[in-house]
Amino acid sequence: MLRRDTRRPRRRLAGVLLAAAALLTYGLSGAPAQAGTQSGSVTAAFASASHTYGVPQQVLESVCYLEGRLGAHGGQASVDGGYGCMNLVKNDKADTLDQAAKLTGLSVSALQHDTAANIRGGAAVLRAEALVLAPKLPATLAGWYAPIAAYSHASSRSVAGMYADAAYQLIQGGFSGTADDGSQVTLAPQAVTPDKSTLGSVPLAPAALPSGCAQDSNVDYPSAIDCVVPTSYDCNVVSGACTYQSSNRPTSYALYDVTIHDIEGTAADAISTFQDINSGVSVHYVIDSDGTVYQTLREKDIAYHAGNFWYNEHAVGIEHAGIDATGYQWYNATEYLASAKLTAYLLNKYNIPLDHAHINSHGTTPSPTTGTSPNHVDPGKYWLWDYYFGLIHSLGVAYPTGNTPAAGLFRVNPSSDQRPLGANGTETTANNSFFTLYTGPSTKDAVIPGAPGSDPTDETTNVETQMPYYSLASQPDQAGTGMTMYEIWYGENDQLSNSTPSYYADAKKAWLAVPAGSAVPVHSYVVSLKPTTKNATIGIYGRPTTSSADIIGSAPSGSEWAAPKSVFEDGTQNLWFGIDYNHREAWVPSSEVTVVAWY
């Protein structure tokens, strides 16, 4: 979600994206399959469908695993109206569900609820896709690349190719999984190189372009649709309403970060907002649930998206269709894949490291001052950082390397963060990436002070996965949950319940509860804070600028912190360290730190 900084230019930069969108809901369609409609066990269904429709069994198994992890998921529809492990869809772009019913003679209900029937339906549709592309079925396993890409019904060829790539990666690497009837499905690794030369023949699902957008080459990212706003929106050109500042990054300002947002609505909502000059907000890219990428501002220009002007100057912003509180109903494998491909392009282009310090979120970006706090919290606890980083890494971007991480440095990497757990590449409420802090080494102890109330999107008492922290001590949860408790320094928002609430934070020791075994080593500096005057506390800043107005909290002398990045203050030789102060990043000048462990 977008937010303009409230400082620089000095006039108040009003405008927040307040997209109103109905929550997506999943529902069952039709009654459970009647007795006799099943086409056999899941393992037998692959062989039978392959024999009947001429589609290689490896293709059927990989698509079923890719889309639905070998299950029907109770007949529940995916975010794009797809059913079963073969994701037979019925939406405004395609209707492979009814197509499969006609081709197989099976009922729609059976195709929705019975995995064996669903596999048979998917095989029939894949055969039909192949015969649209050529008069005969492909003679080799390598030749099924284009039919698989067509099966995705993507609106862009790059997304269709990513889908087929993912299927062939499963075929090449093999997998083993349990189907929803309890049978074990194992695909042995196959030595196959897909024939990608046929991708150009794949028809694309019709997609009406938003008003003001064009499918042309006038974009920075080759796979994006051009929705770039005109120069009349430039605050450096006009004296009235405007939405961005022209610049010449990275020459004018170094690019350190990619900032991940959600829209709090649909891609259409976001594009409509950015095309409104009175909105006061902007971003560089928007990604839809179906993987379509729209560019709305040049990468060289400064977007108003992060709620902190320093981050605006130094980051490329990406908005995603979704709502943070219910992200599990929005974020899906296709959206993640498209975003990962865009972010991999940006990391390679601007030499940005692949870690959470440099691929940050609106929710880990600090407000520049206490008066402008709190910043936004998107994309929220259902954005899967480890899964996302893994996709980027699979596209050829290396993870950072360095010295052996210091003892005590860790990031939280739970199983809930590693892949979508729902049907057809979607998530469930179990895909949680936020973890809570307590006042003592037990989950029966009080939660640390934070924002009053029970807002599920609140970030004042927790951390999110993949951010580095430095542990002072650890032990099993005294409450016997099986969690492990880690003692860390944390900037507590302990003044929010005062008669005059304040977002000024005070660093205190707290205990973080994480699933056992999910704290893994991470590369980062470790710094110990030292005051410039004896026995003083150290001011913690909302951005790396030498201004007392930017102090958002404090920390005591001797407190130790993970500091995963460092920068020079713009126009100076003043070095600053970015520390993970609480849920958000914050900054301390190098004059007030001692580095106790080097990256």
Side-chain angles (χ1 to χ4, degrees), residues 188-262:
Q190 309 288 308
V192 58
T193 301
D195 180 8
K196 299 185 180 183
S197 66
T198 55
L199 181 61
S201 64
V202 172
L204 300 178
L209 293 180
S211 175
C213 299
Q215 187 82 57
D216 58 30
S217 59
N218 192 26
V219 288
D220 295 318
Y221 178 57
S223 298
I225 291 171
D226 179 8
C227 302
V228 175
V229 298
T231 56
S232 58
Y233 286 45
D234 181 2
C235 297
N236 290 332
V237 173
V238 299
S239 58
C242 58
T243 64
Y244 76 96
Q245 290 185 21
S246 57
S247 190
N248 190 31
R249 305 185 310 168
T251 301
S252 53
Y253 296 98
L255 284 170
Y256 299 125
D257 301 328
V258 174
T259 301
I260 303 300
H261 302 263
D262 78 58

Side-chain angles (χ1 to χ4, degrees), residues 35-95:
T37 63
Q38 295 186 359
S39 53
S41 71
V42 170
T43 50
F46 286 120
S48 174
S50 175
H51 176 76
T52 300
Y53 295 103
V55 181
Q57 186 167 336
Q58 300 97 320
V59 169
L60 298 178
E61 290 174 347
S62 68
V63 171
C64 182
Y65 189 84
L66 172 67
E67 288 280 15
R69 294 299 191 268
L70 307 174
H73 303 278
Q76 193 175 58
S78 69
V79 70
D80 61 348
Y83 292 89
C85 75
M86 301 300 289
N87 199 38
L88 297 173
V89 299
K90 187 169 185 175
N91 57 37
D92 59 355
K93 293 183 179 179
D95 184 3

Side-chain angles (χ1 to χ4, degrees), residues 1-131:
M1 185 162 51
L2 298 176
R3 181 180 174 189
R4 285 183 74 173
D5 192 357
T6 56
R7 300 173 58 208
R8 189 182 176 188
R10 293 294 182 180
R11 58 188 174 85
R12 180 168 181 80
L13 302 179
V16 177
L17 176 59
L18 299 174
L23 300 182
L24 291 181
T25 57
Y26 295 128
L28 298 180
S29 177
Q34 301 298 313
T37 63
Q38 295 186 359
S39 53
S41 71
V42 170
T43 50
F46 286 120
S48 174
S50 175
H51 176 76
T52 300
Y53 295 103
V55 181
Q57 186 167 336
Q58 300 97 320
V59 169
L60 298 178
E61 290 174 347
S62 68
V63 171
C64 182
Y65 189 84
L66 172 67
E67 288 280 15
R69 294 299 191 268
L70 307 174
H73 303 278
Q76 193 175 58
S78 69
V79 70
D80 61 348
Y83 292 89
C85 75
M86 301 300 289
N87 199 38
L88 297 173
V89 299
K90 187 169 185 175
N91 57 37
D92 59 355
K93 293 183 179 179
D95 184 3
T96 57
L97 180 64
D98 288 327
Q99 180 188 14
K102 292 177 181 177
L103 292 171
T104 62
L106 295 169
S107 70
V108 167
S109 178
L111 293 167
Q112 290 171 321
H113 292 82
D114 174 33
T115 299
N118 188 265
I119 292 166
R120 197 169 184 84
V125 173
L126 274 162
R127 176 187 176 90
E129 297 285 6
L131 291 175

Side-chain angles (χ1 to χ4, degrees), residues 59 97 106 175 191 254 332 367 383 386 390 393 420 452 512:
V59 169
L97 180 64
L106 295 169
F175 65 84
N332 64 82
S367 288
W383 186 265
D386 181 67
H393 180 62
L512 173 65

